Amino acid sequence: PRSIFKGVLFFDNETYTGQWMILERSGRCLPKNQSPISERDAFVIFDEPRCRGSDIKLRFDARALLTIGPGMCKDKLMQAAGRLRQLDRGQSLLIVGGKDVFAKIRSYCAPQNEIVSRDVLQWTMKNTVQATANGLSNWSSQGFFFVTTFRKPNYAVEDEKLELGQLYGEKFSQNTVVKAVELSRKYHFARTGGKANLSHACLEMA
């Protein structure tokens, strides 16, 4: 009904500093702190960056529409839901997404009936574990790169990999975390002539 909301509250990225704005029914658009409309009386739009850390005073009975996408991880889901400070104490949310997303949730969780919030949480946890595992190789490589080049700028520049064989010549294989980290350590220590002392470098950085 038209009587519920008096305006729309959104974050304007087009302004120089970026700020929350309220678009009134009349068409007038003012910064939140200059508008006579309370944020409680507005329809609030949180874009993805504003789903983390934004604190808008919503109605005690506010209902949110939370959109989920492919591969969404737990932290993004929880941060978005966290905009409702009184969630399950008067405030509530509705989770929506594309058919492909809910097909993946159903495939992973195999719910007996309709998909519930527990299924969505389980699916985002699975995505989080997978994303963490996918990042372990880069994480260990960056760590060893930092250690082996600490106060040694002559080793900070790596050779470019321009040949197809260098980029795609290695076979795909499954490794344990320990083995993947060890391969990364051997590469960086060999690249620097084995002159980096891991324990000494850690002590210097402490």
Side-chain angles (χ1 to χ4, degrees):
R2 291 180 58 84
S3 60
I4 294 180
F5 302 112
K6 297 180 180 179
V8 177
L9 176 60
F10 66 98
F11 191 86
D12 186 6
N13 288 301
E14 300 301 320
T15 58
Y16 178 71
T17 55
Q19 59 183 322
W20 287 96
M21 306 286 291
I22 291 184
L23 177 63
E24 301 175 0
R25 287 187 179 277
S26 64
R28 184 176 66 170
C29 195
L30 293 174
K32 179 170 69 73
N33 58 0
Q34 296 178 22
S35 174
I37 297 176
S38 167
E39 51 199 67
R40 289 187 175 88
D41 296 325
F43 181 90
V44 184
I45 300 174
F46 293 93
D47 57 5
E48 186 172 330
R50 253 51 61 182
C51 283
R52 187 179 295 271
S54 298
D55 191 12
I56 300 295
K57 296 178 176 63
L58 304 173
R59 291 170 55 94
F60 72 93
D61 59 349
R63 184 167 174 82
L65 192 70
L66 194 160
T67 58
I68 58 177
M72 188 175 194
C73 294
K74 181 184 72 85
D75 63 320
K76 285 189 176 181
L77 178 72
M78 300 306 291
Q79 286 292 334
R83 297 316 96 212
L84 294 172
R85 302 303 190 187
Q86 301 297 318
L87 183 58
D88 202 33
R89 287 180 289 180
Q91 296 178 344
S92 59
L93 61 82
L94 178 67
I95 299 175
V96 299
K99 291 182 179 179
D100 58 326
V101 173
F102 281 98
K104 291 178 180 178
I105 296 174
R106 188 173 295 280
S107 174
Y108 177 71
C109 300
Q112 296 297 317
N113 298 301
E114 63 180 17
I115 294 174
V116 296
S117 57
R118 181 187 297 272
D119 300 320
V120 177
L121 283 171
Q122 289 178 345
W123 176 72
T124 56
M125 279 300 301
K126 186 265 294 185
N127 294 337
T128 303
V129 171
Q130 186 62 54
T132 302
N134 291 342
L136 284 173
S137 178
N138 287 334
W139 173 77
S140 63
S141 181
Q142 290 170 4
F144 284 122
F145 176 85
F146 181 77
V147 168
T148 54
T149 59
F150 183 68
R151 295 182 180 174
K152 298 179 180 66
N154 52 310
Y155 292 128
V157 179
E158 292 190 76
D159 294 332
E160 284 192 89
K161 294 183 178 181
L162 301 177
E163 299 296 327
L164 289 176
Q166 293 175 303
L167 293 170
Y168 306 109
E170 295 292 331
K171 294 181 179 179
F172 285 101
S173 62
Q174 288 187 339
N175 288 324
T176 63
V177 172
V178 173
K179 186 175 181 180
V181 172
E182 178 61 16
L183 289 172
S184 182
R185 184 193 70 82
K186 286 182 178 179
Y187 165 76
H188 284 286
F189 277 64
R191 188 179 65 81
T192 57
K195 297 179 180 179
N197 186 302
L198 186 59
S199 59
H200 287 173
C202 291
L203 287 174
E204 287 185 49
M205 289 183 286

